[in-house]
Amino acid sequence: MNQGSADPDPEFKEPLRYLSKLEAAAIETELLTDYCFGRQQLVETWGHACAIAIARAFPLSSLSKKQPTVLVVCGPEQNGAVGLVCARHLHIFGYEPTIFYPKRSSHPLHQDFTVQCEKMDIPFLSYLPTEVQLINDAYNLVIDAILGPETDLSPEKEPYGSILLTLKQVKIPMASVDIPSGWDVEEANADGLRPEVLISLTAPKKCAAAFTGRHFLAGRFLPYDIQKKYELNLPQYPGTDCLTQL
């Protein structure tokens, strides 16, 4: 235990910092430029951590259906790429993911992640059933990797307006990557998705302060100098884990 005068109360810890959209973008830019992280490296790190969080929140032994089916819905930008990586690792962990990726990105990195999933025989849906009961019957849970902090798309923009409308009606559990789709980065939105699980990437965004479900943080890789610069006050990660539950 630290007995130094700088920490007179061992029980006291500065509160966790929640990031604005601009702060989140600035940290990512520093990681890519000043710290020479590659974008593929970041997306792979985040996607792997998301898969571990899903396995913690929804262990194979807890799934109600005979087959460990999972529906992963991916958006057109970085959150969608994280979803693709998450699906690949879930497949490795013994789950049976199916991906719905309605607007595939032309970015080579996203295309590489797509090919990796295809080569592992992970199926892709050509359309999302509008009959919600079909989704409830076919899958144990839904992973929302649609509209992340980097997305400037309006939640009403098609096809995402229709997708969110359908997903808001599902009865099976849902986990969202970084922010629930339909929420503003800065604040919760009653019209957005309402997941049971949220997996924040790097550091939680301001809207996550209003989240009341099970909340994981995947940000152990973040260099200490960045943590200090932005006064993030991140929690301790247990053992060698790459994520922690808040």
Side-chain angles (χ1 to χ4, degrees), residues 4-73:
S5 59
D7 188 15
D9 182 357
E11 298 299 322
F12 176 78
K13 182 173 174 57
E14 291 289 339
L16 179 66
R17 177 108 179 264
Y18 290 80
L19 299 179
S20 68
K21 182 170 184 173
L22 288 177
E23 289 169 332
I27 289 175
E28 186 170 318
T29 297
E30 285 193 42
L31 288 170
L32 293 169
T33 55
D34 298 351
Y35 289 83
C36 296
F37 278 79
R39 189 169 296 281
Q40 181 174 4
Q41 179 185 8
L42 290 177
V43 173
E44 182 71 27
T45 298
W46 289 325
H48 178 242
C50 285
I52 294 174
I54 296 298
R56 295 260 180 95
F58 307 101
L60 286 168
S61 60
S62 73
L63 301 181
S64 60
K65 295 179 173 59
K66 185 176 181 180
Q67 302 300 322
T69 51
V70 178
L71 176 61
V72 185
V73 186

Side-chain angles (χ1 to χ4, degrees), residues 6-240:
D7 188 15
D9 182 357
E11 298 299 322
F12 176 78
K13 182 173 174 57
E14 291 289 339
L16 179 66
R17 177 108 179 264
Y18 290 80
L19 299 179
S20 68
K21 182 170 184 173
L22 288 177
E23 289 169 332
I27 289 175
E28 186 170 318
T29 297
E30 285 193 42
L31 288 170
L32 293 169
T33 55
D34 298 351
Y35 289 83
C36 296
F37 278 79
R39 189 169 296 281
Q40 181 174 4
Q41 179 185 8
L42 290 177
V43 173
E44 182 71 27
T45 298
W46 289 325
H48 178 242
C50 285
I52 294 174
I54 296 298
R56 295 260 180 95
F58 307 101
L60 286 168
S61 60
S62 73
L63 301 181
S64 60
K65 295 179 173 59
K66 185 176 181 180
Q67 302 300 322
T69 51
V70 178
L71 176 61
V72 185
V73 186
C74 296
E77 298 185 28
Q78 185 164 277
N79 237 33
V82 174
L84 293 170
V85 174
C86 177
R88 171 161 47 84
H89 284 288
L90 285 174
H91 179 80
I92 294 169
F93 294 163
Y95 294 80
E96 295 182 9
T98 294
I99 298 170
F100 179 53
Y101 190 16
K103 284 203 169 184
R104 299 193 181 194
S105 171
S106 59
H107 193 291
L109 180 60
H110 296 221
Q111 293 179 342
D112 289 348
F113 287 136
T114 301
V115 170
Q116 291 164 16
C117 290
E118 291 172 338
K119 291 292 187 182
M120 295 182 74
D121 295 325
I122 298 173
F124 283 74
L125 291 180
S126 57
Y127 67 94
L128 185 70
T130 54
E131 179 54 57
V132 175
Q133 193 56 43
L134 293 176
I135 299 174
N136 294 334
D137 291 343
Y139 305 101
N140 291 278
L141 64 137
V142 175
I143 299 174
D144 156 35
I146 309 171
L147 304 177
E150 77 287 350
T151 306
D152 290 323
L153 292 172
S154 165
E156 291 79 27
K157 185 176 178 64
E158 293 300 338
Y160 303 104
S162 298
I163 293 170
L164 296 188
L165 183 62
T166 297
L167 294 182
K168 281 191 284 187
Q169 300 175 66
V170 300
K171 300 300 183 185
I172 55 176
M174 184 179 302
S176 289
V177 174
D178 213 11
I179 66 171
S181 289
W183 289 30
D184 185 84
V185 180
E186 313 284 337
E187 59 185 2
N189 185 340
D191 293 329
L193 298 182
R194 292 289 176 180
E196 284 73 19
V197 172
L198 176 62
I199 309 161
S200 289
L201 308 180
T202 305
K205 312 310 178 284
K206 283 189 173 182
C207 65
F211 182 71
T212 57
R214 197 169 179 185
H215 189 185
F216 292 91
L217 174 62
R220 189 167 193 168
F221 70 93
L222 196 63
Y224 176 73
D225 285 350
I226 288 185
Q227 296 184 37
K228 185 176 180 181
K229 176 180 178 179
Y230 289 90
E231 300 179 333
L232 299 180
N233 305 316
L234 298 180
Q236 292 292 319
Y237 286 79
T240 57

